[in-house]
Every structure is written in C-alpha cells, then in structure tokens.
Amino acid sequence: MWLKQEEVERLAERAIQKGISISEKNNIINTLFTYRKAAIPAYMKMIESKQVLDSEKQQIYDNIQKINES
C-alpha cells in the first residue's frame, strides 16, 4: 500500500509541473484512476493547482465520482 501511495503522489506532482503537455497530463489523470480510492488525495491536489485546466479538473471530478460510486 505504501508503494502505491508513493507512486500516486509522484504522478500528481508530475501533473502539476509547469511545461507538462496536455496529453501527458491526461494520461496521468487516467492512470491515477486505476488506483481507485488511493488516487483521491492526488486528484484533490491537482484540482487545487493552477497548472490544471478547467476541462482537466472536470475529468478529475468525473473520475472521483465514478470511484465513489463503485
């Protein structure tokens, strides 16, 4: 579990870096979804970032909703 959380946080940090491409950020958002509930704190960190576009934030919100429904 600890390794999973470390990977999730590493991905979130990468997603909020300046200069990251939109496609790479979307890949990270989709990859984080596979971590299910472990991804929620990382998603929240991404939502708070100014580096994440509104459309990406909407995708994150949708993913969180899907995780919570399952």
Side-chain angles (χ1 to χ4, degrees):
M1 181 70 169
W2 178 77
L3 290 174
K4 182 191 293 189
Q5 195 60 41
E6 186 176 288
E7 174 71 8
V8 165
E9 292 198 21
R10 185 186 64 76
L11 287 168
E13 286 296 323
R14 176 70 184 133
I16 60 176
Q17 289 179 350
K18 288 185 178 183
I20 186 172
S21 70
I22 292 171
S23 63
E24 185 177 355
K25 205 178 317 176
N26 283 325
N27 284 339
I28 290 171
I29 291 169
N30 291 331
T31 299
L32 284 172
F33 184 74
T34 64
Y35 288 97
R36 312 302 287 173
K37 294 218 183 253
I40 292 176
Y43 276 153
M44 298 309 291
K45 186 175 192 174
M46 291 171 66
I47 288 170
E48 294 171 357
S49 171
K50 293 179 182 175
Q51 301 303 319
V52 178
L53 302 173
D54 287 342
S55 60
E56 295 163 338
K57 289 179 183 182
Q58 185 59 53
Q59 183 182 1
I60 292 168
Y61 286 127
D62 293 345
N63 284 357
I64 291 171
Q65 184 176 2
K66 289 176 190 173
I67 290 168
N68 286 330
E69 289 174 351
S70 62

